[in-house]
Amino acid sequence: MTDLPPPARPHPFLWLVWALLFVGLPALAAAWDTRARPDAGARRMAVVEAGLMKRPTTPPPVEPVEVFALERNQAVAFNATIPFSRDPNPAARPFRFSGSETDLARAIDCLAAAEIFEAGDDAVGEQAVAQVVLNRVRHPAFPKTVCGVVLLSTTCATGCQFTFTCDGALARTPGEAAWGRAREIARAALAGKVFRPVGHATHYHTDWVVPYWSGSLDKIAAVGTHLFFRWRGWWGTPPAFHQSDDKGEPLIGRIARLSPAHQGGTDTPLMPPPTVAAAEAAAALAARPQQTIGADSLGRTVAGVRLIAIAPGAKSFLVELPAGSGGADGWPAMAQTFCAGRAECRIMAWRPGAAPAGLPLSDAQMATMSFAYIHNAGSGLQRALWNCGQTPRTAKEECMRQRVPTIVPTLPTEALAGVRRKGRFETVKIAPVMPAGETRTATP
């Protein structure tokens, strides 16, 4: 056998080439990929703070609270697919009220009403609501008073801004301790306390509804079951929020029963309204089988009355009573037909000829309401009230309080390019939630 010559060894230079190919280049690529890069959100904020982002000439339109007809689970799933904005979420500047003592007292109670009727007796949620209200006061798209922002929907064509202002929730009286806590939170917010997580949010909704504007705004925070949004572009940046001199808080008759400051005096005590049934009765009604009353029932007769409208959340129903003056004693039974199986429920009823076409409700429509019913199984509240000017009652505690017209500023109506209007969504269908990795083709 002939011995083979030993294999030739690679030249030392080739070892260097291989080392660069298999070690140096991957390391160089990794270093390039992980190098420090300027954050897009930080660049955007720098442009805003430098005054280089052009301010639009008109503020964005203020949209009413209207939602797509989705089941709760569908809405929760859909909202989960909307990503949070990756831009910075800076905290708002402290808001310090500088008006008179009378104006401050009115502002505190308007802000407290928004907190407790929107978030319930939840200190964290109430702080978030208070911050959104104050953000709106600073934004040129909204009235420049606290009470104007909170009660905006009562006279403006934009419809409900806060659901409680037009779904009958104001008929409910919060407990004295809960109302006191809400007022303290409001007082602190008006003295400069900032709730940082919601930043410059001007909109929010619970995660079990989908407003048609939710896809047009930046989703920036979640607090409990509430999602918070701000406008895109310049109108959602800190320079858009300027606190002007306090203009004087209007007197709001709709919350006069809660607030001495809105009664024109300072010594009227907060008195809870009477209930007409014990807590056990409210719980028993909530435990009964629930009737299916949905959008397909609108315009039809249910429990002897015509269904006019259903407020968001299906907790409030507007109905038209049958013709004739009799049967007023049977109205609570009618209301309980609607409210059976519901932990919270409100019924608002009008006689023929006075019934509204739907929500929102004006002060005049609220004043002509013939009957109201409310129950809350959690608090044990259950009561029925009649308009005693139309239907005299022997027991005066069964009479509705006389309503005082509300005074609120008007709202700018100019349109802004790029902000979606309601008309764009009249025929939109919500696509099912797509598995991860697939593309969603429709967003509200």
Side-chain angles (χ1 to χ4, degrees):
M1 182 187 312
T2 305
D3 291 336
L4 296 174
R9 293 184 178 181
H11 192 280
F13 177 75
L14 292 178
W15 286 110
L16 180 60
V17 172
W18 290 346
L20 288 174
L21 287 174
F22 295 104
V23 179
L25 288 180
L28 182 61
W32 175 265
D33 188 61
T34 59
R35 75 195 189 285
R37 303 177 185 175
D39 179 77
R43 291 200 305 270
R44 175 175 178 269
M45 291 307 299
V47 168
V48 170
E49 292 171 358
L52 300 178
M53 182 180 286
K54 184 178 180 181
R55 172 180 175 171
T57 56
T58 57
V62 180
E63 308 288 5
V65 177
E66 293 190 27
V67 301
F68 286 106
L70 293 176
E71 295 294 333
R72 181 184 180 119
N73 291 340
Q74 290 179 308
V76 170
F78 183 82
N79 285 324
T81 67
I82 300 176
F84 287 95
S85 171
R86 298 180 64 181
D87 287 340
N89 182 29
R93 298 185 304 277
F95 186 105
R96 292 186 172 87
F97 193 90
S98 59
S100 69
E101 286 297 322
T102 298
D103 288 333
L104 177 59
R106 292 177 182 175
I108 287 172
D109 289 346
C110 284
L111 191 54
E115 295 165 14
I116 201 162
F117 286 111
E118 288 288 287
D121 189 12
D122 170 11
V124 175
E126 288 178 12
Q127 291 177 71
V129 170
Q131 187 64 59
V132 170
V133 171
L134 298 185
N135 287 348
R136 287 188 168 202
V137 174
R138 280 180 161 158
H139 201 283
F142 298 93
K144 303 313 296 177
T145 63
V146 175
C147 293
V149 166
V150 173
L151 276 299
L152 177 67
S153 65
T154 56
T155 61
C156 293
T158 56
C160 302
Q161 287 299 311
F162 296 99
T163 307
F164 80 91
T165 63
C166 62
D167 70 353
L170 280 170
R172 176 169 56 88
T173 298
E176 190 170 354
W179 178 247
R181 280 190 292 273
R183 293 185 78 250
E184 288 304 311
I185 291 171
R187 186 184 299 275
L190 291 167
K193 185 174 181 180
V194 175
F195 187 73
R196 299 181 62 87
V198 301
H200 290 82
T202 49
H203 296 68
Y204 62 84
H205 65 82
T206 56
D207 65 1
W208 61 80
V209 298
V210 180
Y212 62 79
W213 48 253
S214 64
S216 298
L217 306 180
D218 277 343
K219 177 179 169 184
I220 59 174
V223 177
T225 59
H226 284 78
L227 303 173
F228 292 80
F229 299 77
R230 69 184 173 208
W231 271 305
R232 292 175 181 164
W234 192 89
W235 291 112
T237 63
F241 296 78
H242 289 287
Q243 184 175 351
S244 59
D245 294 335
D246 300 305
K247 303 298 184 183
E249 294 290 333
L251 191 69
I252 305 296
R254 295 185 68 190
I255 62 172
R257 66 185 184 84
L258 300 177
S259 168
H262 289 278
Q263 296 169 348
T266 58
D267 56 354
T268 305
L270 175 64
M271 298 295 292
T275 58
V276 297
E280 292 79 5
L285 181 61
R288 285 167 48 184
Q290 181 182 128
Q291 284 202 27
T292 301
I293 303 175
D296 57 344
S297 300
L298 292 173
R300 299 181 180 180
T301 298
V302 179
V305 296
R306 184 174 69 88
L307 181 60
I308 300 171
I310 304 173
K315 295 179 181 179
S316 299
F317 302 88
L318 278 62
V319 303
E320 182 182 68
L321 297 164
S325 58
D329 288 335
W331 291 346
M334 170 274 296
Q336 291 180 21
T337 300
F338 279 84
C339 295
R342 303 178 193 274
E344 298 180 46
C345 185
R346 304 180 189 92
I347 301 296
M348 293 172 280
W350 286 262
R351 293 185 183 277
L359 294 169
L361 300 176
S362 67
D363 283 331
Q365 291 168 333
M366 295 291 285
T368 60
M369 188 190 309
S370 300
F371 175 76
Y373 172 89
I374 183 171
H375 85 234
N376 186 309
S379 65
L381 171 67
Q382 187 183 50
R383 64 190 179 107
L385 294 172
W386 285 257
N387 184 329
C388 291
Q390 302 175 8
T391 308
R393 305 294 293 176
T394 303
K396 296 303 181 185
E397 62 270 17
E398 294 180 353
C399 295
M400 296 178 181
R401 291 177 175 85
Q402 184 176 3
R403 295 188 177 272
V404 181
T406 302
I407 303 173
V408 296
T410 57
L411 175 71
T413 58
E414 295 88 347
L416 177 71
V419 176
R420 299 181 182 181
R421 301 292 294 172
K422 178 183 176 183
R424 294 273 303 277
F425 299 91
E426 294 293 347
T427 59
V428 169
K429 295 183 179 179
I430 300 296
V433 177
M434 305 297 291
E438 296 190 24
T439 302
R440 179 159 49 90
T441 58
T443 302

